[in-house]
Amino acid sequence: MVRERLYNRVVWHDIDILRSVSQWLMWATFILGILTASATAGRYFVDRRVNELKSAAASKQAAESDAARKAADGAMAEKLAMADTRVQEANDRAAAAAAAAEALRLALQPRAVRVRVDGLAQLLGGRPAAAYEIETVAGDAEARDLGLKISEGLRTAGWTNTAFASSQFPHKITGLEVSAPTKTPEVAALVDFLTTAGLSPRYKTASALPQVHILVGSRE
């Protein structure tokens, strides 16, 4: 205890020792200042690097999210396109089935049903009347009914029926044929009417004929 007091008294009163201690403290302060500045600079660069890494991570995450969103949008667009294609294909099949059903219905429907007597009479009623004859295939009731229906329309329009006969032919006669000495406007109107009715008539000019001749063959 006495030695410590003597030591403290000596150091505290020794100018050389105190100068040395002061120099050491000055260097310590200088070194601490350098360390503080270095630590501050190091912290700045570390913080900046942390921010750079955080920004890069955020950019990467955003890019991945955007890529995932685009991939999801692309997949959804592909699914919608496939769905639209399937719907269109289904609509096409339905339309084809409806067309086939309509074609079958018309094929099974008697042709006479397609002739509207009032429509034919109205079409030809204001035109010059003509004389006509109708010839149907013998033994074909469907062809005869069609011939009667056409004749009814023509007579209602004021045309004169000179003959209605059923004939035998050496070969098969199908469809509908209209022949006339000349294709007058009223004859052309008759052909157009039968065409619109879906009967697909054939027209033939025969100058030797005295009147319009309508040949009704079997269903094609």
Side-chain angles (χ1 to χ4, degrees), residues 46-137:
V46 169
D47 289 345
R48 187 175 72 173
R49 181 56 179 167
V50 169
N51 291 331
E52 289 176 352
L53 292 176
K54 287 172 63 177
S55 177
S59 298
K60 182 179 179 181
Q61 185 177 5
E64 291 176 350
S65 298
D66 186 61
R69 181 183 59 80
K70 289 181 178 179
D73 291 345
M76 181 58 68
E78 184 177 356
K79 290 181 179 179
L80 290 175
M82 291 178 61
D84 290 341
T85 300
R86 290 174 181 173
V87 169
Q88 185 61 45
E89 290 175 350
N91 291 337
D92 292 342
R93 288 194 295 269
E102 178 63 15
L104 179 61
R105 185 187 68 82
L106 292 176
L108 298 176
Q109 181 187 65
R111 290 175 292 172
V113 176
R114 306 180 193 177
V115 178
R116 290 179 53 247
V117 173
D118 57 341
L120 182 56
Q122 183 178 3
L123 177 66
L124 299 177
R127 302 174 183 272
Y132 70 95
E133 61 182 3
I134 292 181
E135 186 177 13
T136 66
V137 175

